[in-house]
Amino acid sequence: MARLTAPVRDVRVAAYTVPTDGPEGDGTLAWDATTVVVVQVAAGDATGVGWTYTDRAAGDLVHRVLAPEVIGRDALNPVAVHDATLRLLRNVGVPGLGAAAVSAIDIAMWDLAGRLLEMPVCSLLGSVREQLRIYGSGGFTTYDSHRTAEQVLGWVDGLGARAVKIKIGESWGTAVQRDLGRVAEVRELVGAGVDLMVDANGGYSVGQAVRVERAMREHGVVWFEEPVSSRDLPGLAHVRRHAEADIAAGEYGSTPADFRDLLIAGAVDTLQADVTRCGGFTGWRRVAALAQTFERPISTHCAPALSVHVAGCAPTLAHLEWFHDHTRLEAMLFDGVPVVTDGVVAPNADTGHGMRLRPDAEQWRVV
């Protein structure tokens, strides 16, 4: 019997930049807009959609370098397309922009395969759970107390989240007293029944991070994300050895080797992986396998509408990040985004991942 195939006939890419709903910043960066690069891949009468959060230059990389490799390949074999596009970037460079471009294509390929086979992506990937616990994420260093409270209570009272995360490490760790004051305010706001998490985005030095973690213990902080740069594996490992809170990192990983190195170094309690940076659904599954091998929890990073469809494949999944910028943007640009109920979310598609670019997204198109 001949194997069913469906050659890719078209690859389209565009970028969209959406202003934030207010000034935003974390420990090491500030921004006022978010750019999403959207890839659409077609075969037969179906079209798959994928995207990544990065500079619009990734769109040019898809158009000029990667799309010619994808056209003509079997739409029912996303893994082969993923590996072929990675190989094509050998001299261009995989980390960062290259991996983001591959991620958008890979997500679109899985969506396309699901639509052609009339199956949801989560079934194609091999889901082991349907209900995914979320945590609210945002709490930017640029927020005042009123804005922080409004957002945090929106997660807890509005979505039923039982965990929240705010940014600290303000201005490269030069505002520690404000950091600690904001942590105390949020703890008082949510009470003892909600897990409190913080993210320094690599803003502290190693010794400083140890002291800050110790000072936060009275507020019951359970998660300390990137207390120092994720490139500093010995530094992360040192903070972890001295911390009571779980240390988390991995959001900037591009290939399985990046996550392997974090695990071998003993630098993290919980591994994070961003589906739009680590090779799409194919790459995220490989990272989840590493987490299982090392018996470590894994958590998604950003891109919540896409992460819902792959996170359920991870046996050691901790939770899913419900990041303010991306939940807002995804609802503006795409139809069919998943909805949180009582602190959990589940894939809601009958075929593919179920999301489509909205016609009115054109107003934010930049490429």
Side-chain angles (χ1 to χ4, degrees):
M1 180 182 295
R3 188 175 71 85
L4 179 64
T5 61
V8 173
R9 59 176 172 79
D10 188 32
V11 178
R12 288 171 285 163
V13 60
Y16 304 83
T17 296
V18 179
T20 60
D21 57 1
E24 294 181 357
D26 56 35
T28 54
L29 192 68
W31 61 95
D32 58 10
T34 301
T35 296
V36 56
V37 175
V38 179
V39 173
Q40 299 187 73
V41 181
D45 296 328
T47 300
V49 180
W51 64 87
T52 182
Y53 294 95
T54 187
D55 189 83
R56 61 186 184 180
D60 184 56
L61 184 60
V62 171
H63 176 70
R64 291 190 305 103
V65 179
L66 300 179
E69 178 68 26
V70 177
I71 291 174
R73 284 188 170 269
D74 184 5
L76 300 180
N77 194 348
V79 174
V81 174
H82 172 275
D83 289 353
T85 50
L86 272 182
R87 288 193 296 269
L88 202 60
L89 294 178
R90 190 198 70 179
N91 290 347
V92 176
V94 172
L97 204 65
V102 169
S103 298
I105 292 173
D106 182 80
I107 293 164
M109 290 295 301
W110 280 103
D111 183 36
L112 175 59
R115 293 178 188 277
L116 289 169
L117 296 172
E118 298 184 347
M119 292 178 62
V121 165
C122 59
S123 296
L124 293 177
L125 293 171
S127 179
V128 297
R129 70 185 76 205
E130 295 181 358
Q131 300 291 317
L132 310 174
R133 184 167 62 94
I134 66 108
Y135 71 85
S137 173
F140 302 109
T141 58
T142 48
Y143 285 177
D144 60 18
S145 296
H146 174 76
R147 180 70 176 100
T148 300
E150 179 183 54
Q151 188 175 78
V152 168
L153 292 178
W155 297 326
V156 175
D157 297 337
L159 298 182
R162 306 313 299 164
V164 299
K165 186 177 79 181
I166 67 168
K167 302 289 190 179
I168 61 172
E170 181 178 347
S171 302
W172 290 91
T174 60
V176 172
Q177 290 310 307
R178 183 167 189 263
D179 291 338
L180 296 175
R182 294 177 65 244
V183 170
E185 287 178 2
V186 174
R187 171 51 75 202
E188 183 176 0
L189 191 68
V190 301
V194 175
D195 285 344
L196 179 52
M197 308 160 67
V198 298
D199 180 4
N201 288 97
Y204 296 128
S205 66
V206 174
Q208 189 180 30
V210 170
R211 293 189 293 273
V212 168
E213 192 278 333
R214 189 176 298 125
M216 292 189 297
R217 291 177 188 175
E218 66 175 294
H219 306 300
V221 172
V222 300
W223 165 291
F224 196 0
E225 184 176 329
E226 274 206 314
V228 299
S229 170
S230 56
R231 295 187 300 272
D232 182 5
L233 299 185
L236 271 177
H238 179 85
V239 176
R240 182 180 175 229
R241 285 193 297 272
H242 290 81
E244 290 185 0
D246 283 351
I247 303 302
E251 65 185 76
Y252 298 111
S254 297
T255 68
D258 298 327
F259 301 91
R260 176 204 63 199
D261 292 347
L262 279 167
L263 292 165
I264 289 176
V268 293
D269 292 287
T270 301
L271 200 61
Q272 293 175 284
D274 189 320
V275 70
T276 73
R277 292 175 177 172
C278 73
F281 294 151
T282 299
W284 204 94
R285 279 205 306 179
R286 292 172 178 175
V287 178
L290 275 172
Q292 183 182 12
T293 300
F294 279 79
E295 298 184 333
R296 289 282 187 274
I298 185 170
S299 180
T300 68
H301 176 265
C302 290
L306 292 173
S307 298
V308 170
H309 297 273
V310 69
C313 80
T316 63
L317 181 72
H319 37 44
L320 185 145
E321 181 176 20
W322 205 252
F323 181 56
H324 170 70
D325 276 9
H326 293 179
T327 56
R328 173 178 173 267
L329 184 149
E330 287 166 346
M332 295 168 70
L333 294 183
F334 302 97
D335 287 321
V337 297
V339 177
V340 174
T341 304
D342 295 329
V344 299
V345 64
N348 60 348
D350 293 325
T351 60
H353 58 47
M355 290 175 281
R356 278 280 182 256
L357 190 65
R358 294 170 57 95
D360 58 355
E362 195 66 20
Q363 63 186 296
W364 293 292
R365 181 169 173 163
V366 291
V367 175

